[in-house]
Amino acid sequence: SDLSDVLSADELSWLVFRFVAGELSGDELAAFEQRLEVDQAAREAVAEMVELTTAVQCVASTDVTHAVESRRDSDSQLASTPSTSCATV
C-alpha cells in the first residue's frame, strides 16, 4: 500500500514494526521517513516499538543468561538470583 494513504492503527503498527526491525525496502523506507517528519503519531509509535523490542530483547537475554548460570552452577546463590544487567526502559 502507498505510505501516503491514511493508515489504520493496525497498519501503522505493522509498518512501525517493520521499520524498527529494518524490514522496509528502499522506497518504503524513504516514504516512511518522510511520514515521520510530519506525523507525530507515527513518531510516538516508533518510540513505543523501540521500547517494546528493547524490553523483549532484555527479558529474552536475561532468561537465557539465567538458564545458563543455573545449569552451570546449580548450587550457587547467583543462580537463584535473576540477572539485573538490563536497564529499565
Side-chain angles (χ1 to χ4, degrees):
S1 83
D2 187 313
L3 298 181
S4 64
D5 294 342
V6 175
L7 300 175
S8 72
D10 287 343
E11 290 169 326
L12 179 60
S13 293
W14 179 241
L15 187 59
V16 165
F17 172 79
R18 291 181 59 222
F19 173 75
V20 171
E23 295 180 355
L24 295 181
S25 69
D27 290 342
E28 290 173 314
L29 179 60
F32 189 67
E33 287 173 341
Q34 285 182 328
R35 179 186 202 103
L36 290 174
E37 292 176 11
V38 297
D39 187 342
Q40 180 65 27
R43 289 191 299 270
E44 290 172 2
V46 167
E48 291 172 8
M49 185 64 67
V50 168
E51 287 182 17
L52 176 63
T53 56
T54 300
V56 168
Q57 290 170 348
C58 180
V59 168
S61 172
T62 300
D63 287 348
V64 168
T65 301
H66 184 66
V68 168
E69 289 172 352
S70 294
R71 285 191 180 125
R72 182 178 38 190
D73 193 10
S74 62
D75 296 329
S76 169
Q77 176 64 24
L78 177 62
S80 65
T81 306
S83 174
T84 57
S85 61
C86 295
T88 304
V89 290

